[in-house]
Amino acid sequence: MNKVCELLEVEVPIIEGGLAFVGNGLLAAAVSEGGGFGQVGSAGRTVENFEKQILLAAEATAKPFGVNIPISQHTDFTPYIEVIRKHRDLIQAVSLGAGNPKQLIPVIKDMGLKVLVLTSTAFHSAKAESLGADMIICEGYEAGGSNGPSELSTLTLVPQVKKTVSIPVVAAGGIVDGRSMASAMLLGADGVQMGTRFVATKECEAHDNFKDAILKARDDSTEILTRMLKGPIRVLKNDYSKKVQEAEKENPTLENILPMVRGKYNGLAMFDGELSKGFMSCGQVASLIDEVESAEVIVRRMATEAKEILNSPIKI
Ligand SMILES: Cc1cc2nc3c(=O)[nH]c(=O)nc-3n(C[C@H](O)[C@H](O)[C@H](O)COP(=O)(O)O)c2cc1C
């Protein structure tokens, strides 16, 4: 049996990544209903809303789902961890990203939940494995949202992580359909995680303006912000991202740039639809997304397509 399916108790190894501001409970449930693994996001949500979304997901599906905690994006993650503890019977796994997971791994494992750690290098993957992670989600530089400072592509990262750790490895960044899923599996991945594809879905609570912007995107429609802060983020190019780029050129200091990329401006564009007032996390695959579809349908179709491709002889 596939290792990711075994660990998460799902039918197909397709995970919905944490989605700040727009990773709602009904989306997580739809991904899980499709046979994949949905996750409720915590970034950009109050603790109360995070709890509400977990309950909504549990009401909408009896299948396993998880939650995502991007560590450094919370000034205090403790109340979110307490919500997870309270509802641990509803949750299968917690994914940890954007920070050092050392402190949280034992806490989550003590609750009887699986821990998935997001990484962007083989070194950090080995570290996470030694700290007790159950699975690595290694994310290449193609991905929407926060990227690793090493800027490794998914194509090069996956085989190197696979060579380094013995726990299951999931590829993230640049996966959008059955073809890209099959490619990641050929590189050695045990499964895939997607973010951008799941934003352009019927169940995602992202604003229609953000979804439309994804549908209109071309291959060169994304760019990296805040590279000089050693925390690059991949966003859709717009007037706001241009303003940030200009500020980075003029005065590339933490004090000047950080206030411009606060979560508030991410939420304004992605959730409220005020595109010119903020920035939108988005991956390089956006131009391959032509339709807002049901997340459940996407998961089922991708798994079928990937299986067909992997079972067909490749002509070389
Ligand atoms: C709108 C958006 C918000 C995201 N927010 C988070 C987040 O809160 N936590 C996290 O771990 N990753 C986050 N990510 C990264 C995704 O979980 C996922 O790993 C990434 O999108 C995969 O690359 P792809 O965009 O090419 O599919 C976000 C990505 C997007 C597009």
Side-chain angles (χ1 to χ4, degrees):
M1 192 183 181
N2 175 281
K3 288 181 196 170
V4 172
C5 294
E6 208 172 320
L7 191 84
L8 300 177
E9 298 180 37
V10 294
E11 294 153 49
V12 292
I14 299 175
I15 300 175
E16 174 217 342
L19 295 174
F21 291 93
V22 298
N24 50 311
L26 290 181
L27 171 59
V31 172
S32 294
E33 278 296 295
F37 190 71
Q39 295 195 83
V40 172
S42 65
R45 286 186 194 285
T46 60
V47 181
E48 294 72 28
N49 190 270
F50 178 54
E51 179 170 22
K52 181 180 162 190
Q53 299 302 327
I54 291 172
L55 295 174
L56 280 173
E59 219 174 270
T61 185
K63 297 187 178 179
F65 68 89
V67 297
N68 169 254
I69 302 282
I71 299 166
S72 63
Q73 284 174 26
H74 291 290
T75 34
D76 180 13
F77 53 70
T78 323
Y80 294 86
I81 300 298
E82 287 318 307
V83 168
I84 295 171
R85 190 190 305 285
K86 183 172 164 193
H87 297 295
R88 61 186 177 281
D89 294 343
L90 303 177
I91 298 164
Q92 175 79 5
V94 180
S95 64
L96 302 173
N100 188 342
K102 186 175 179 178
Q103 191 190 344
L104 280 178
I105 291 177
V107 175
I108 292 160
K109 294 197 87 158
D110 278 353
M111 295 181 203
L113 305 180
K114 305 286 185 226
V115 185
L116 325 178
V117 177
L118 278 132
T119 65
S120 54
T121 63
F123 174 80
H124 290 102
S125 305
K127 187 88 190 145
E129 181 178 40
S130 74
L131 292 172
D134 294 297
M135 193 169 95
I136 299 296
I137 301 172
C138 62
E139 196 188 60
Y141 181 62
E142 298 90 328
S146 298
N147 281 190
S150 304
E151 304 190 1
L152 296 174
S153 70
T154 304
L155 186 73
T156 56
L157 180 62
V158 171
Q160 297 188 71
V161 172
K162 192 66 193 171
K163 197 174 139 192
T164 310
V165 301
S166 53
I167 53 178
V169 173
V170 164
I175 321 285
V176 72
D177 53 17
R179 260 184 318 178
S180 40
M181 177 176 179
S183 309
M185 306 296 276
L186 284 174
L187 289 174
D190 300 292
V192 295
Q193 167 166 303
M194 300 191 297
T196 305
R197 174 62 271 201
F198 284 131
V199 174
T201 57
K202 289 178 183 155
E203 298 87 351
C204 179
E205 67 179 4
H207 196 282
D208 282 348
N209 291 349
F210 179 23
K211 294 181 188 178
D212 285 347
I214 290 178
L215 301 188
K216 285 186 193 131
R218 300 187 325 199
D219 54 359
D220 62 349
S221 291
T222 70
E223 63 183 338
I224 292 288
L225 298 180
T226 66
R227 177 175 275 124
M228 84 295 181
L229 302 182
K230 304 249 179 288
I233 43 178
R234 184 171 295 284
V235 301
L236 264 180
K237 287 179 188 167
N238 69 354
D239 289 347
Y240 192 88
S241 70
K242 197 170 164 193
K243 217 164 75 180
V244 178
Q245 289 278 17
E246 279 161 10
E248 287 184 19
K249 271 184 214 135
E250 273 165 32
N251 181 11
T253 59
L254 199 68
E255 303 76 53
N256 190 35
I257 305 305
L258 211 54
M260 298 181 81
V261 290
R262 292 220 186 279
K264 171 181 152 188
Y265 298 107
N266 209 197
L268 261 177
M270 301 198 306
F271 186 81
D272 299 316
E274 304 258 17
L275 301 196
S276 60
K277 294 190 180 155
F279 59 101
M280 294 165 274
S281 305
C282 182
Q284 289 181 326
V285 289
S287 76
L288 290 168
I289 302 169
D290 300 321
E291 209 187 321
V292 171
E293 294 181 272
S294 149
E296 190 180 333
V297 169
I298 291 171
V299 172
R300 290 195 192 284
R301 184 182 60 228
M302 261 183 78
T304 309
E305 276 175 11
K307 269 184 208 153
E308 275 171 17
I309 294 168
L310 291 171
N311 287 331
S312 61
I314 296 171
K315 292 187 186 73
I316 49 171

